[in-house]
Amino acid sequence: MNLREYPIKAKLRDGSEAQVRAMDAKDGPAVLKFFRALPEEDRLFLRDDVTRPEWLDRFVRQIDYQTMLPLVAEDGSGIVGNATLYRPLYGWSVHVGEMRVAVAREYQHKGLGTVLAHELVKLALDAGLEKMVVSVVDNQIAAKRAFEKLGFRSEAVLKGHVKDIHGTKRDLVVMSNDVSHIWESMEALTRDYLPSLE
Ligand SMILES: CC(C)(COP(=O)(O)OP(=O)(O)OC[C@H]1O[C@@H](n2cnc3c(N)ncnc32)[C@H](O)[C@@H]1OP(=O)(O)O)[C@@H](O)C(=O)NCCC(=O)NCCS
């Protein structure tokens, strides 16, 4: 995927800035620190237990910028956001990409999640993907709203499909959208705080 334009500077809604770039293996410890600092309610329904070093090892080993491309956002103090694009190279869903996004509490609601998702959609378009999906647990209100604003719609609900870190079962909502539609709605959304090239 085309990473030539990174790093870029994202100007956020409150005037603060974050630098967005592709993650590489040496970012591992900082990424683990970022995930460990997320409040439990933000980690409760993430697919993996992102606080475990074993998870980080697997995550870092998967980075190839083809099938798995993680972006990080950082300020002067460290990593404040992570967004990862997963894309199969073979099989009947080669046209479908999946994204996962997480933003540090102190940076939430400033547009960083939208900027990171925006970047992943650009990369997905660049890679020829036609559809994007994101999976959120039914009670992740902020995540659902964030993705709805980007043009995603609930496409399927898998009943009792996930257990949170305390073992409570929840429904998983698979949200999706046609990439070209996502692009249009994100262009409008990010017009005010579109990241500028460094
Ligand atoms: C989902 C998440 C990535 C959104 O990141 P963000 O940087 O806060 O998103 P943005 O600032 O771009 O907000 C986009 C929209 O999301 C909604 N939103 C964001 N935070 C919200 C909150 N706390 N409550 C309700 N809605 C919220 C709003 O509609 C917002 O648009 P607005 O600010 O114009 O009203 C962030 O909340 C997060 O990291 N959550 C924990 C991890 C997670 O659940 N990830 C999703 C699974 S992949």
Side-chain angles (χ1 to χ4, degrees):
M1 279 180 260
N2 180 8
L3 301 174
R4 278 193 301 274
E5 69 179 80
Y6 296 108
I8 56 170
K9 217 182 266 172
K11 203 162 183 297
L12 304 177
R13 202 179 286 139
D14 65 346
S16 60
E17 287 182 351
Q19 181 172 276
V20 176
R21 60 174 174 82
M23 176 189 165
D24 63 36
K26 65 179 179 322
D27 295 314
V31 167
L32 190 63
K33 191 173 166 204
F34 158 72
F35 276 115
R36 283 185 168 168
L38 286 179
E40 186 181 286
E41 57 180 301
D42 284 356
R43 286 189 284 107
L44 204 54
F45 297 108
L46 294 181
R47 187 177 302 234
D48 299 300
D49 183 350
V50 290
T51 61
R52 299 173 70 93
E54 308 90 271
W55 166 80
L56 180 77
D57 286 347
R58 272 202 319 279
F59 186 71
V60 164
R61 264 187 276 117
Q62 275 179 279
I63 300 174
D64 61 4
Y65 304 131
Q66 280 271 332
T67 60
M68 197 267 217
L69 167 57
L71 297 178
V72 288
E74 56 192 348
D75 67 5
S77 67
I79 289 176
V80 295
N82 165 252
T84 304
L85 175 64
Y86 295 86
R87 170 214 184 191
L89 287 182
Y90 306 100
W92 59 12
S93 291
V94 284
H95 59 300
V96 182
E98 181 178 352
M99 69 163 95
R100 296 180 207 163
V101 187
V103 169
R105 227 351 125 78
E106 66 273 22
Y107 271 84
Q108 288 182 13
H109 232 141
K110 297 180 180 179
L112 184 56
T114 301
V115 166
L116 288 169
H118 177 277
E119 288 305 310
L120 289 188
V121 171
K122 270 204 310 192
L123 290 162
L125 277 173
D126 199 50
L129 294 176
E130 296 167 30
K131 179 179 177 178
M132 296 290 284
V133 295
V134 62
S135 299
V136 298
V137 178
D138 59 352
N139 62 338
Q140 284 177 292
I141 305 298
K144 278 207 288 197
R145 279 212 201 123
F147 292 113
E148 275 164 7
K149 284 194 82 166
L150 295 172
F152 284 81
R153 293 293 172 261
S154 169
E155 185 172 323
V157 178
L158 307 182
K159 295 282 178 195
H161 197 71
V162 298
K163 280 185 182 172
D164 69 18
I165 49 186
H166 302 303
T168 308
K169 278 191 192 163
R170 297 278 180 185
D171 296 348
L172 187 71
V173 182
V174 181
M175 304 179 77
S176 71
N177 208 333
D178 175 279
V179 171
S180 54
H181 293 164
I182 300 172
W183 182 242
E184 282 162 22
S185 60
M186 288 205 293
E187 281 287 83
L189 260 175
T190 53
R191 201 161 288 142
D192 294 340
Y193 48 91
L194 197 65
S196 52
L197 287 175
E198 258 197 344

